[in-house]
Amino acid sequence: MRAARLIKMVLLLQSRPSMTAAELAEELEVSERTITRDALALSEAGVPVYADRGRAGGYRLVGGYRTRLTGLARGEAEALFLSGLPGALRDMGLEDAASAARLKVSAALLPSLRDAPDSVAQRFLLDAPGWYQEPETPEMLPPVAEAVWDDRVIAARYRRGDREVERELAPYGLVLKAGVWYLCARSGTAFRTYRVDRFVAVALAGERFVRDEDFDLPAFWAERAAEFARSILRAEAVVRLSEAGGRRLPYVTDRAAAEEALAAGTRDAAGRVTVTLAVESEEVAFSQLLALGAEAEVLAPASLRARFGEAARAMAEAYK
């Protein structure tokens, strides 16, 4: 524990011109007295740590000292690529590894480049969860993440509808989509996708699995996401749209379905286009197309048209 702290202290001093005892104590989560003892131990071990006295004093490395302890461990290097997702790293239990990796990279940079990490962090941020959602961390996410990083087989219990099923899975990768975690895993010879929040229990098996070199996580996810989007569009609605309604349609419903419907639509003399739109259900179509207001007229099915008629009469009554 102390050895790791001493290494981190050297890396901190190497990445900055100087640091006060208070700053080091906060970074290393120890007392200032411990920092004084650690600095003395480093000096006795041959690391040129120099203490500047006075109000503006602190600790620094002298003589252009450079440590060779900046080699990235595999887990740290992998975690570094996720450093734009602090919440995701924390949820998976990788926050410490990413912090160590960033510190090692900072220590290895030339002095003129030391502000690069902060510069990037203030310019780019990936905020994965959707609006109006308070994301919850699935209870089983840390052990699943551990298995993914270590290529470990897992024995899992999974909720499917009103029952639980047991599976032995080779976990290939995790995907965070709109605040929801998904596991892409091999079950037998088939690759499948599982919502992590539906895992009831996860146990790491002793053996590791050999990855299929042809497996491509981004390509697999894109294909499954497209299949899912198509699979839920099980109904149709015939809609007459104004020019403005046609422009806005892709923003209120499935974009691919909207663009396909508009491309195959027929226009009348007034410039309105009649389309047959694939929708998830009548209920979903009602909530989506209602956002278009008077720019859309539902022609079929009759039950959906009747719902819009009722909504229009209710709104007219409210605003008369």
Side-chain angles (χ1 to χ4, degrees), residues 56-287:
Y59 292 94
R60 60 187 175 88
L61 295 174
V62 297
Y65 180 83
R66 306 290 296 174
T67 177
R68 294 182 180 275
L69 297 172
T70 53
L72 288 176
R74 181 177 180 83
E76 294 168 346
E78 291 170 334
L80 188 62
F81 288 99
L82 291 172
S83 58
L85 286 167
L89 285 167
R90 182 179 59 252
D91 294 345
M92 290 190 292
L94 296 171
E95 190 173 28
D96 290 343
S99 175
R102 287 193 296 269
L103 183 57
K104 288 183 178 182
V105 170
S106 296
L109 292 174
L110 294 172
S112 61
L113 300 176
R114 296 247 172 92
D115 66 338
D118 289 336
S119 177
V120 171
Q122 294 305 316
R123 286 167 172 79
F124 300 100
L125 175 67
L126 177 58
D127 185 11
W131 289 105
Y132 316 118
Q133 296 179 13
E134 188 63 35
E136 294 184 3
T137 303
E139 184 181 353
M140 295 295 119
L141 179 60
V144 169
E146 181 182 348
V148 169
W149 287 120
D150 207 23
D151 293 343
R152 296 275 294 279
V153 175
I154 60 173
R157 256 196 358 263
Y158 184 82
R159 283 197 314 275
R160 176 172 291 173
D162 57 355
R163 63 191 181 94
E164 293 182 5
V165 296
E166 294 185 1
R167 293 286 185 271
E168 186 175 273
L169 303 173
Y172 270 64
L174 283 163
V175 176
L176 178 59
K177 171 70 172 178
V180 179
W181 286 96
Y182 296 88
L183 173 67
C184 301
R186 191 181 68 218
S187 176
T189 59
F191 286 95
R192 304 183 187 281
T193 303
Y194 303 85
R195 279 185 59 144
V196 178
D197 58 4
R198 292 180 183 167
F199 281 110
V200 177
V202 171
L204 276 65
E207 71 270 19
R208 288 180 168 82
F209 65 91
V210 178
R211 283 180 167 264
D212 182 345
E213 295 297 331
D214 294 330
F215 179 81
D216 184 322
L217 180 60
F220 172 80
W221 177 257
E223 181 181 345
R224 290 304 169 91
E227 288 178 1
F228 175 75
R230 289 193 299 269
S231 70
I232 63 175
L233 302 178
R234 300 169 182 162
E236 289 183 343
V238 180
V239 188
R240 182 185 291 133
L241 301 160
S242 67
E243 290 187 14
R247 288 194 300 269
R248 290 169 54 193
L249 183 65
Y251 299 97
V252 300
T253 186
D254 180 83
R255 178 177 290 273
E259 291 175 348
E260 184 178 333
L262 289 167
T266 56
R267 293 190 176 275
D268 60 20
R272 297 176 301 178
V273 58
T274 299
V275 302
T276 300
L277 179 68
V279 295
E280 183 176 345
S281 66
E282 185 173 308
E283 184 68 32
V284 171
F286 177 74
S287 63

